[in-house]
Amino acid sequence: MRRAADLPRVTPTGGCGRLQAGAAADACVGPGQRPPQGTEGDDRAGRRAVPAARPVSQDFTADAPNRLWFGDITYVRTWDGWAYVASVIDAFSRKVVGWAVADHMRTDLVLDALRMAITRRHPPKGVIFHADRGSQYTSKEFVDFCKINNVRNSVGRTGICFDNAAAESFWATLKKEFIHLHPFDTVERLRTGVFEYIEVYYNRLRIHSTIGYLTPVEFEDEFDKKGDRAA
């Protein structure tokens, strides 16, 4: 098996088929089937929800890495039942810097994704993390975690999907290019598939028009090279 670095860059159409072999089973989500949904302001973990600031106003751009992150939760049907995926994406490069998969949508799910991003990126004090006004992102546990780690917590307005449109766009891409092409029998199989899609394909091989038809890794590498030349 070739390393990710040895694989060719690909366009968004049909580029991740190699990742899907072996991850599928013969099940599908029928029409109208939807998982249980949390309500905004209602922390499913039973913790008190707290107000959160909204420093982001539908502007999902940044002039450098680790200035603005955004994220969300989506759901995937498996043979074992519903599974949930959380993301953290860097607005500068569209690189997925944190993610988590679980069989629940408690606050721990989004904490695991944000914890991965912080551990990997070591962001400067004051990096903004923007999400919708879901119960997980407004819970006291999540807000306290952001404060402890010097992350500015930002949430969208109630019922305004455009306030987190960039995160929703990533889910649409993930499902179109990967999830909807085959189902999964277990949550663990889904976790493996999400790892391969994000870490091997999306971040390293898939080019993005919004960043000059480069991959997220290439775009950040170019930024680092410019900084080195200017130093």
Side-chain angles (χ1 to χ4, degrees):
M1 181 176 179
R2 291 184 292 173
R3 298 175 303 165
D6 298 329
L7 295 171
R9 296 160 72 250
V10 296
T11 59
T13 54
C16 61
R18 70 173 66 87
L19 303 179
Q20 296 156 1
D26 295 325
C28 65
V29 180
Q33 291 180 295
R34 292 294 181 269
Q37 297 292 311
T39 57
E40 294 180 347
D42 173 24
D43 185 359
R44 297 177 69 86
R47 303 177 182 88
R48 181 171 57 88
V50 298
R54 193 175 71 89
V56 175
S57 181
Q58 299 182 15
D59 181 6
F60 303 104
T61 60
D63 57 8
N66 302 320
R67 300 284 178 83
L68 170 62
W69 296 344
F70 53 84
D72 194 19
I73 302 172
T74 195
Y75 55 86
V76 179
R77 181 68 177 264
T78 75
W79 281 6
D80 283 347
W82 291 108
Y84 302 88
V85 187
S87 64
V88 179
I89 301 170
D90 194 301
F92 173 72
S93 63
R94 294 303 194 263
K95 183 176 183 180
V96 181
V97 296
W99 57 274
V101 177
D103 61 357
H104 62 80
M105 55 185 300
R106 297 189 296 271
T107 301
D108 288 344
L109 174 67
V110 296
L111 285 175
D112 286 344
L114 185 56
R115 188 176 292 110
M116 177 188 288
I118 292 171
T119 301
R120 287 178 164 183
R121 305 284 277 189
H122 303 288
K125 182 178 180 179
V127 58
I128 297 171
F129 176 73
H130 180 80
D132 63 21
R133 196 175 287 273
S135 59
Q136 299 83 1
Y137 296 112
T138 59
S139 68
K140 185 177 186 301
E141 183 180 7
F142 186 81
V143 173
D144 287 348
F145 179 85
C146 288
K147 289 179 180 178
I148 291 170
N149 289 277
N150 297 310
V151 174
R152 293 176 62 194
N153 191 21
S154 165
V155 296
R157 292 166 294 180
T158 300
I160 307 298
C161 62
F162 298 107
D163 281 358
N164 206 27
E168 295 286 353
S169 177
F170 171 70
W171 292 141
T173 298
L174 172 72
K175 291 186 175 183
K176 177 182 177 181
E177 296 182 350
F178 187 59
I179 299 297
H180 287 167
L181 296 184
H182 59 260
F184 299 86
D185 52 354
T186 66
V187 174
E188 189 57 40
R189 187 73 65 86
L190 172 64
R191 184 178 291 109
T192 299
V194 170
F195 168 83
E196 291 176 340
Y197 178 84
I198 291 175
E199 304 294 353
V200 178
Y201 172 69
Y202 189 86
N203 283 344
R204 298 177 179 275
L205 300 177
R206 188 187 189 280
I207 61 175
H208 297 250
S209 60
T210 56
I211 53 175
Y213 293 95
L214 297 174
T215 70
V217 168
E218 289 173 338
F219 192 69
E220 291 196 353
D221 286 346
E222 288 295 318
F223 178 83
D224 290 340
K225 290 176 183 177
K226 290 178 182 178
D228 291 340
R229 288 195 294 268

